[in-house]
Amino acid sequence: MNKELIINSSADGVEIALLEDKKLVEIHNEKMDTRWAVGDLYLGKVRKIIPGLNAAFVDVGFEKDAFLHYTDLSPYIKSIIKYTQDVINNNDNSFDFSKFQTAPEIVKTGKISEVLNGKPNILVQILKEPIAAKGPRLTCELSLAGRFIVLTPFNEIVAVSKKIHSGEERKRLQKMMESIRPKNFGVIVRTAAEGKSTAELHEDLLTLVENWKNIQANLKGGISPARIMSEESKTTSILRDLLNEDFNKIVVNDKKIFDITLSYLQRIAPAKANILSLHSGDQEIFDQYGITKQVKSSFGKTVNLHSGAYLIIEHTEALHVIDVNSGFKSVSNNQEENALQTNLEAAEEIARQLRLRDIGGIIVIDFIDMKLPENKRKVQEALDEFMKTDRARHSVLPISKFGLLQATRQRIRPEVNINTSEDCPACKGTGTITSTLLLEDEMEKKLSYLATHGHKRIQILVHPIIHSHLTKGIFSSIIKKWRRKYKLKLISQPDNSSHLVEYKFLDDQQEEIKL
């Protein structure tokens, strides 16, 4: 699989698009005034304890207090509180974390009022960004992510990613990290560490330990609420999490971001530095790589599939609902086979949509009804397979007797929601229409369908502007291309009564062809 990262910098911020085999699968928007990022560490002040929820509200500088549940406290919360107080009150630079005496662990079924009594200052980490009217969610299970490992202060546990399937490799990594791990630090070995040498892992470990020392320095004399450490930019964090042998192109349109990205690549993967390039030319970077068009076609309530089927995606307060519709095209005369093929195509697009829009929480998918249990199983297994590349934790249940598939996906950030409609020139902006970027593709799909169903002579009635676009060029017009491709006697006719994106197909009897 080929992966490309396209980075578009503008006055408003930075947009980051991840392409897999030229298909847009993730888009991230980093605003210039962004105050919050998952992974940031804050010195917070406990404001309110809610025994009924077994949770507390913590002031970390946001307009709404952040939420901290007992299950997110970490077994080592007493050590964290003691450490926070010791570092804040330390008057010199003699504090040595390796000599810090940890406190006993708390029990899993305890009460938060017993742990956070006195409402102390506490070192916390952003677990989820603010979503809608809710403040951020916090965790005290602190972690610092690196390229190959994750450093977890206050414990002594070494864990290896379950995605590393080789038993021998897992034992090698476990033994290696046990031998180089500093005191009072635990380590989680990431999947990317598979096959890496001791020197590479040790270098990553030293970098994270140095980051912890910087956190300690920033915490000294701190007054809550205060940000103690910021996560890296989304650009570098995406590179850190995704960079592998399949990553073969990174294109940036800003020299400053280019230099930052190059420095990061030279530090973490020098052999990959040559995949980075600086965009030049008059065309916008997202237009050149087809991202603008993919955004227009991938967001919004309706998402069209290649076969003519389409998805309806709607969001309620409690969950997301996705409805699969067969559209106008059938692959065979067998209804069950049609339903299976459409559902398999839909499963691939749904997996992409969940990742692209960063949809989280409960998702209910209404696939086209199938009677055979093995076909239902095929669709569920296909969705499972397509979601393997999704970094968010997720779970997919079998299709129920009502034909519904239920799934959950980890919610960390607010859902990506991009408005893809445009002001309608026919009604002076009082309504909206589907993007004109997609009109040509939509017309060609329907022409292809008509050609395969015996139509030989077709007339298209379109708005004069669209007619001009379709017939532009004596030898290379779009209409001529369609004639050759589909072996049709095809004519485009301007129609002043048509709206800009309205069109009709007429047969050789001048009767409208309904689709």
Side-chain angles (χ1 to χ4, degrees):
M1 181 185 293
N2 291 325
K3 292 184 180 179
E4 299 170 286
L5 199 67
I6 312 300
I7 304 170
N8 176 38
S9 177
S10 65
D12 296 330
V14 180
E15 291 178 292
I16 306 164
L18 175 62
L19 305 179
E20 291 182 355
D21 294 334
K22 304 297 182 183
K23 183 176 284 190
L24 181 67
V25 294
E26 288 185 27
I27 189 161
H28 302 267
N29 196 340
E30 188 174 16
K31 297 289 185 183
M32 287 301 181
D33 61 350
T34 298
R35 296 178 55 206
W36 303 94
V38 171
D40 284 1
L41 264 71
Y42 281 81
L43 175 62
K45 172 69 175 177
V46 177
R47 290 294 182 195
K48 188 185 297 183
I49 294 175
I50 312 295
L53 295 176
N54 206 14
F57 286 94
V58 182
D59 180 14
V60 289
F62 191 55
E63 58 183 318
K64 286 185 175 292
D65 288 342
F67 182 78
L68 176 63
H69 193 269
Y70 185 88
T71 54
D72 294 316
L73 278 182
S74 163
Y76 314 100
I77 181 62
K78 291 184 178 179
S79 297
I80 294 172
I81 295 173
K82 180 173 177 286
Y83 169 81
T84 304
Q85 293 170 344
D86 288 353
V87 174
I88 290 175
N89 298 326
N90 186 42
N91 295 321
D92 53 38
N93 296 318
S94 60
F95 192 92
D96 187 349
F97 186 64
S98 65
K99 296 179 181 178
F100 177 75
Q101 295 296 316
T102 57
E105 297 181 19
I106 62 171
V107 296
K108 292 181 180 180
T109 56
K111 296 180 179 179
I112 199 166
S113 56
E114 297 172 354
V115 178
L116 298 183
N117 57 337
K119 299 180 180 179
N121 290 328
I122 187 171
L123 188 62
V124 292
Q125 193 164 24
I126 302 292
L127 181 64
K128 294 182 181 180
E129 288 183 10
I131 297 175
K134 299 176 181 177
R137 182 160 181 170
L138 305 177
T139 180
C140 292
E141 298 201 51
L142 309 180
S143 63
L144 305 178
R147 176 81 178 97
F148 304 120
I149 66 171
V150 176
L151 194 67
T152 55
F154 301 105
N155 72 58
E156 307 273 341
I157 299 170
V158 174
V160 181
S161 169
K162 293 179 181 178
K163 292 183 179 179
I164 298 176
H165 300 298
S166 168
E168 289 186 6
E169 178 64 3
R170 289 171 62 85
K171 287 179 182 178
R172 181 186 76 89
L173 292 170
Q174 177 94 22
K175 188 175 180 181
M176 181 196 305
M177 293 313 306
E178 288 282 8
S179 65
I180 63 175
R181 174 188 60 80
K183 191 175 184 301
N184 285 337
F185 287 108
V187 174
I188 301 171
V189 183
R190 307 182 72 175
T191 310
E194 188 170 10
K196 301 301 178 183
S197 66
T198 304
E200 289 174 296
L201 296 179
H202 192 230
E203 183 181 357
D204 203 26
L205 177 64
L206 291 177
T207 300
L208 296 177
V209 171
E210 191 62 34
N211 289 347
W212 181 251
K213 290 179 181 178
N214 292 334
I215 291 169
Q216 188 169 295
N218 294 338
L219 190 59
K220 181 183 175 184
I223 300 174
S224 64
R227 180 155 56 182
I228 302 301
M229 185 208 74
S230 292
E231 256 285 21
E232 298 167 306
S233 70
K234 283 187 179 178
T235 308
T236 51
S237 64
I238 288 172
L239 285 174
R240 180 193 67 201
D241 292 343
L242 297 181
L243 192 66
N244 56 33
E245 296 304 319
D246 294 334
F247 229 113
N248 65 344
K249 182 183 287 187
I250 303 171
V251 187
V252 186
N253 69 342
D254 181 86
K255 184 63 169 64
K256 183 179 179 181
I257 297 178
F258 174 87
D259 292 338
I260 293 171
T261 308
L262 179 61
S263 174
Y264 184 78
L265 282 171
Q266 288 173 335
R267 178 163 60 87
I268 69 164
K272 283 288 190 179
N274 62 341
I275 69 176
L276 178 66
S277 63
L278 185 64
H279 174 72
S280 60
D282 298 330
Q283 193 174 14
E284 293 285 343
I285 186 170
F286 271 17
D287 291 343
Q288 180 168 325
Y289 289 92
I291 295 166
T292 303
K293 189 171 183 178
Q294 290 197 55
V295 167
K296 291 284 188 181
S297 64
S298 299
F299 287 87
K301 180 178 177 180
T302 303
V303 178
N304 293 310
L305 306 181
H306 181 72
S307 68
Y310 60 95
L311 309 176
I312 301 292
I313 302 176
E314 294 188 292
H315 181 200
T316 72
E317 182 66 25
L319 48 79
H320 285 79
V321 179
I322 303 176
D323 185 29
V324 181
N325 295 275
S326 59
F328 60 83
K329 187 172 181 179
S330 298
V331 294
S332 76
N333 293 323
N334 186 310
Q335 184 177 349
E336 182 78 6
E337 181 64 21
N338 284 338
L340 175 61
Q341 294 305 318
T342 302
N343 286 338
L344 290 174
E345 181 187 21
E348 181 175 8
E349 183 60 27
I350 288 168
R352 172 177 171 257
Q353 286 291 329
L354 296 180
R355 187 175 169 193
L356 180 59
R357 301 184 189 216
D358 207 3
I359 292 174
I362 300 171
I363 302 124
V364 176
I365 305 168
D366 183 8
F367 284 107
I368 298 171
D369 288 341
M370 298 174 293
K371 295 181 180 179
L372 300 179
E374 65 253 36
N375 287 344
K376 294 180 180 181
R377 188 174 61 253
K378 284 179 183 177
V379 172
Q380 183 215 340
E381 290 173 351
L383 185 60
D384 264 327
E385 185 65 28
F386 291 132
M387 291 186 71
K388 278 187 176 178
T389 55
D390 196 337
R391 289 178 292 152
R393 292 196 302 272
H394 57 269
S395 176
V396 178
L397 298 180
I399 296 177
S400 72
K401 63 180 180 180
F402 298 116
L404 302 176
L405 183 145
Q406 299 172 73
T408 61
R409 186 176 182 273
Q410 181 185 22
R411 187 201 301 268
I412 295 178
R413 298 181 176 89
E415 178 186 348
V416 177
N417 189 15
I418 299 175
N419 185 13
T420 61
S421 58
E422 300 175 352
D423 285 344
C424 175
C427 59
K428 309 301 182 187
T430 59
T432 56
I433 58 174
T434 303
S435 169
T436 54
L437 277 172
L438 308 176
L439 185 62
E440 183 185 323
D441 289 349
E442 183 182 309
M443 292 172 69
E444 185 175 359
K445 281 183 184 178
K446 293 185 178 180
L447 276 175
S448 171
Y449 175 74
L450 293 175
T452 58
H453 283 70
H455 290 273
K456 299 297 182 186
R457 187 191 300 269
I458 298 174
Q459 184 178 351
I460 309 176
L461 294 183
V462 290
H463 189 279
I465 293 175
I466 303 300
H467 169 76
S468 176
H469 173 70
L470 294 176
T471 57
K472 180 176 62 180
I474 299 174
F475 302 107
S476 58
S477 71
I478 295 169
I479 286 291
K480 285 186 170 64
K481 182 186 76 173
W482 287 346
R483 285 174 187 160
R484 292 191 298 269
K485 185 174 181 179
Y486 300 111
K487 306 294 189 296
L488 290 170
K489 291 183 179 179
L490 187 62
I491 300 172
S492 174
Q493 189 71 32
D495 179 16
N496 290 320
S497 65
S498 295
H499 295 310
L500 182 64
V501 294
E502 184 182 12
Y503 58 90
K504 296 176 183 177
F505 295 116
L506 304 181
D507 62 17
D508 51 7
Q509 304 298 319
Q510 294 295 296
E511 296 287 336
E512 184 178 351
I513 304 170
K514 297 290 187 180
L515 287 171

